[in-house]
């Protein structure tokens, strides 16, 4: 029996995914990683969708915002929990994934988070992990996009620098502005 304060996981069709890339950066307070997961078989999804993972330890659903790459891979960016200097249960498990490891997860559509179709220019604001869906949206964008990203330091920017530099070269990212936080 699940206690009242814990939300039951949704009944979602589970998909098999394969880890194709796990770019890890930093340790402790600066720990972060960019994970690329490729669906086994055909799977339609859009950047901004949510990946639902339910660990067997506590049966509580965890949701991760996805970016979609041109290769139909799921991009997830995860940062260490600042309060406890650790990853959560599922984030820690994802951090440990190696290339070709498989996992089972559900896909949740997110109808309210996508690129506007008629806008000529788009401004994206992301702090830390919020950049994940934008990495995919940039690959689909036909608009001029300005991305403002905020994080603790340059190390947190490293895992997806390559994705954003490629978006600038391809012309889908017209402006990139970094806002780095200072802790005294």
């Amino acid at each position: 029996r699940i206690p009242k304060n814990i939300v039951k996981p949704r009944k979602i069709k589970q998909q098999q995914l394969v880890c194709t890339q796990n770019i890890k950066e930093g340790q402790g307070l600066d720990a972060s990683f960019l994970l690329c997961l490729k669906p086994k078989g055909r799977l339609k999804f859009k950047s901004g969708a949510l990946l639902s993972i339910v660990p067997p330890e506590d049966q509580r659903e965890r949701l991760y915002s996805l970016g979609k790459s041109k290769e139909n891979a799921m991009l997830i960016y995860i940062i260490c929990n600042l309060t406890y200097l650790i990853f959560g249960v599922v984030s820690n498990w994802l951090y440990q994934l190696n290339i070709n490891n498989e996992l089972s997860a559900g896909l949740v559509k997110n109808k309210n988070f996508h690129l506007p179709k008629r806008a000529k220019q788009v401004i994206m604001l992301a702090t830390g992990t919020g950049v994940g869906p934008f990495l995919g949206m940039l690959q689909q964008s036909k608009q001029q996009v300005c991305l403002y990203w905020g994080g603790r330091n340059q190390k947190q920017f490293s895992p997806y620098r390559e994705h954003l530099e490629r978006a600038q070269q391809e012309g889908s990212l017209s402006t990139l502005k970094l806002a780095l936080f200072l802790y005294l």
Side-chain angles (χ1 to χ4, degrees), residues 146-158:
C146 176
L147 172 64
Y148 289 87
W149 178 83
R152 291 192 292 265
N153 54 49
Q154 284 280 351
K155 282 185 181 179
Q156 285 188 327
F157 184 68
S158 294

Side-chain angles (χ1 to χ4, degrees), residues 2 6-7 11 14 23 25 31 40 44 46 49 53 66 70 75 88 91-92 98 104 127 135 145 150 156 162 173 181:
I2 298 175
I6 296 177
V7 178
K11 298 233 184 238
Q14 296 294 293
I23 303 171
E25 188 64 49
K40 289 183 82 173
K44 290 179 102 177
K46 293 182 179 181
I53 299 176
L66 298 174
K70 288 182 180 177
L75 304 172
S91 296
N92 187 55
N98 294 312
S104 185
T127 54
L135 296 176
V145 176
Q156 285 188 327
E162 178 184 321
L173 179 59
F181 301 110

